[in-house]
Amino acid sequence: MPQLPRRTQLIGATPAGAVSQFPRPPAGQHISRRRFLTSSALAAGGALSVPLLGACNASTESGDGKTVLTVMYMANELTKEQIADFEAKNPDIKIRFIAHDGTRLNAMLASNEPPDFVRGPAVGSARTNAQGLATELDQYLDKSSVLNKESLLPVNDSFRWDGKQIGSGPYYGLVKDWSQDATLWYNRALFKEAKIEPLSTTEPISYDELLEIGKKLTKKSGGKTQVYGLGLEWAWNLYAPLSMMILQQGGEVYSADLTETDMTTPQALRALKWYVDFAKAGVGPTSLDPAPDGADLSLFLAKRMAITQDGYWYGGNFVEESDEIKNNIAMAPAPVMGDKRISPTYAGWGAYIPAKAKHKDEAWKLMEYFMAGKPSEDRAKSGWGIPALKSQLEMMPQELPYQKQVYQTQQAELEYAEQLPDSPYIGGATAWDPVLNKHLLRAIKNEVTVEAAGKAITDEINKLLRQGKDQIG
């Protein structure tokens, strides 16, 4: 699935939806979980629309005769220690590591000199696959003894592509870990202070009820907000949560052929209006009133935010916090708007092997190690993300009281994990979010009606979809 400050204890965990991490940074330091959603989404699907830069000519053999495997990933997700372990287990392979950079990746892809193994999101992979930039993995999955189709959770289906849409056909990538990013985290102590009953950890609340509770939990003094009732991680992702709201009402985000959108339908307008009402009520940060560091975490830890909408990964932030924090936090199911309960991932970060990679077999060995070996087990045990393999769900941490509650809520939530729509003709949240934010702000400031904002969003996104269709053909 976008990403921001999080306490690192880490182990390879995503965003907006949601990042895996690993090594433990200095005590008290926070690193980003989702800030890469935007830049990486570009790399996942924008190769045809960026200027070409000089690509790197990677040698295919090191001086000692080893195969050089070029890997583009995040250093906090694929660590030096893991690379050394992989190389020790595969003495004929040497990894050349490149920090993930969308512009550099696009240039390498366009010049037919791609890395052999690349970080990418499942949600947003349609554009990459429609351009023929990723290798079909079924041939490897069918032969692997450690990583096969039967072992994969359905979240991996967003990496599938049948030539027209995601969800069926061959696999073109695999998820390393993920979260259902619309779930809610809250502080019971703030509910108690406001004399409000805590959210249910088993039954979803409606979005309308959630906003009303957010208003009651919000505290203002002297024209300043002392406590925000509800945070939506506005700066991370607008497209995914709005899409979820539309789908929950039985609506559609795209036409059947994925070439058009209509944000003037009753379902879309209801979702847009909810966001406008949220902003006007002043119950949480927006781009008009941004969070101090662009994320909810610091406010939540300081007891200045009662509820925040974040995925399972959020729980990794609290392991080393005070008992006051750990004993008062809880996770609730994703809220609903309409009659259809769904709870998607906004990203589902993982990896793919480019179609023109020079060392696909060696890249698959790394895929097996990273997705099914010790790194994946450590990630599962860390609490920074839901594992993408069925067999590892039981590894999710349950040692602390809050972890036990979160585990139970999360296991029940898995039943409602559905895919977000993904058009190959547009770069997902990367393209949608600036348009959504611009016109939502106009409606919030009463410059236009919600209906006019929906029409303007429709026109701009359809223009982008047409351009994408023309590029791909």
Side-chain angles (χ1 to χ4, degrees):
M1 100 181 64
Q3 289 149 323
L4 278 147
R6 59 186 273 177
R7 175 100 39 195
T8 56
Q9 194 203 25
L10 304 171
I11 288 206
T14 286
V19 167
S20 288
Q21 4 288 105
F22 246 65
R24 183 188 296 239
Q29 177 179 328
H30 290 72
I31 67 172
S32 163
R33 174 173 179 82
R34 298 197 186 206
R35 70 169 176 265
F36 303 111
L37 259 177
T38 300
S39 60
S40 297
L42 173 64
L48 294 182
S49 58
V50 298
L52 302 185
L53 305 179
C56 314
N57 292 316
S59 59
T60 62
E61 191 174 283
S62 65
D64 52 8
K66 296 181 180 181
T67 297
V68 177
L69 190 68
T70 303
V71 174
M72 182 177 276
Y73 224 84
M74 300 305 301
N76 64 319
E77 298 178 295
L78 178 58
T79 68
K80 292 180 179 179
E81 293 78 12
Q82 292 168 352
I83 290 172
D85 184 45
F86 174 78
E87 290 178 335
K89 289 178 169 65
N90 298 272
D92 58 336
I93 300 175
K94 180 177 180 60
I95 287 183
R96 173 181 179 246
F97 185 88
I98 302 174
H100 193 280
D101 178 88
T103 301
R104 186 175 183 182
L105 174 58
N106 285 329
M108 295 175 76
L109 290 168
S111 64
N112 296 324
E113 291 286 341
D116 298 298
F117 185 91
V118 180
R119 182 183 192 264
V123 179
S125 63
R127 188 163 174 80
T128 301
N129 297 331
Q131 294 178 64
L133 297 176
T135 297
E136 179 184 325
L137 299 181
D138 289 48
Q139 57 184 316
Y140 295 105
L141 289 165
D142 291 341
K143 297 176 182 178
S144 178
S145 60
V146 297
L147 192 57
N148 52 60
K149 297 174 184 176
E150 290 70 30
S151 67
L152 302 178
L153 282 170
V155 66
N156 289 280
D157 288 348
S158 287
F159 262 127
R160 300 175 70 183
W161 178 253
D162 65 5
K164 295 182 178 180
Q165 60 185 2
I166 63 166
S168 61
Y171 291 85
Y172 287 91
L174 294 176
V175 174
K176 66 176 177 62
D177 58 17
W178 60 295
S179 288
Q180 289 168 274
D181 295 295
T183 52
L184 302 169
W185 290 82
Y186 63 96
N187 188 319
R188 292 190 186 94
L190 293 177
F191 276 73
K192 186 176 181 179
E193 289 176 15
K195 298 181 180 180
I196 296 174
E197 191 73 20
L199 301 180
S200 169
T201 59
T202 58
E203 297 298 322
I205 190 172
S206 75
Y207 267 104
D208 291 340
E209 292 175 301
L210 180 63
L211 180 54
E212 291 307 309
I213 289 177
K215 293 175 182 178
K216 294 176 182 177
L217 289 164
T218 299
K219 294 182 179 180
K220 297 180 183 290
S221 177
K224 295 184 178 180
T225 303
Q226 305 302 313
V227 175
Y228 289 101
L230 171 63
L232 301 178
E233 303 290 12
W234 186 291
W236 290 356
N237 202 316
L238 293 170
Y239 163 73
L242 282 163
S243 294
M244 184 188 77
M245 291 175 172
I246 293 168
L247 297 178
Q248 287 178 334
Q249 298 173 74
E252 299 291 343
V253 176
Y254 294 111
S255 59
D257 62 0
L258 304 174
T259 62
E260 293 184 334
T261 191
D262 186 355
M263 290 293 110
T264 67
T265 65
Q267 297 90 348
L269 291 176
R270 181 180 176 188
L272 293 171
K273 184 178 185 301
W274 189 92
Y275 261 79
V276 171
D277 291 344
F278 166 86
K280 287 184 175 181
V283 301
T286 66
S287 53
L288 288 174
D289 177 26
D293 54 7
D296 289 353
L297 182 59
S298 60
L299 291 167
F300 192 76
L301 290 176
K303 294 180 63 177
R304 292 195 55 223
M305 180 175 285
I307 310 170
T308 178
Q309 188 168 44
D310 285 282
Y312 169 82
W313 67 269
Y314 212 63
N317 286 299
F318 310 119
V319 175
E320 294 185 345
E321 289 297 329
S322 66
D323 288 343
E324 181 185 15
I325 292 290
K326 287 188 287 192
N327 293 338
N328 280 300
I329 58 170
M331 190 178 88
V336 293
M337 180 176 287
D339 299 325
K340 185 178 181 181
R341 182 179 174 185
I342 68 168
S343 182
T345 183
Y346 293 173
W349 287 102
Y352 66 97
I353 299 171
K356 295 189 178 181
K358 292 182 172 61
H359 305 298
K360 295 182 181 181
D361 291 347
E362 291 82 358
W364 178 253
K365 289 183 180 180
L366 179 59
M367 187 78 78
E368 288 183 317
Y369 170 79
F370 190 57
M371 301 302 187
K374 188 176 185 299
S376 68
E377 294 176 356
D378 290 343
R379 287 194 301 269
K381 295 173 184 177
S382 74
W384 282 107
I386 307 169
L389 301 181
K390 298 173 184 176
S391 62
Q392 294 182 353
L393 290 175
E394 61 185 19
M395 297 181 184
M396 296 164 68
Q398 302 180 62
E399 289 78 18
L400 299 173
Y402 87 86
Q403 290 176 327
K404 293 179 181 178
Q405 180 270 306
V406 169
Y407 180 83
Q408 294 299 323
T409 296
Q410 180 56 69
Q411 295 302 306
E413 193 79 356
L414 289 174
E415 179 182 348
Y416 305 98
E418 291 194 17
Q419 297 172 339
L420 286 177
D422 190 3
S423 172
Y425 308 121
I426 195 168
T430 308
W432 274 86
D433 280 3
V435 178
L436 288 168
N437 187 65
K438 176 175 64 176
H439 294 293
L440 281 173
L441 293 187
R442 294 177 65 211
I444 292 164
K445 293 185 286 187
N446 295 318
E447 296 174 359
V448 297
T449 63
V450 173
E451 290 75 14
K455 176 63 166 58
I457 292 167
T458 300
D459 291 343
E460 287 198 37
I461 295 298
N462 280 338
K463 181 179 180 180
L464 294 175
L465 285 163
R466 287 193 296 272
Q467 291 172 349
K469 181 70 166 61
D470 291 341
Q471 290 172 339
I472 294 176

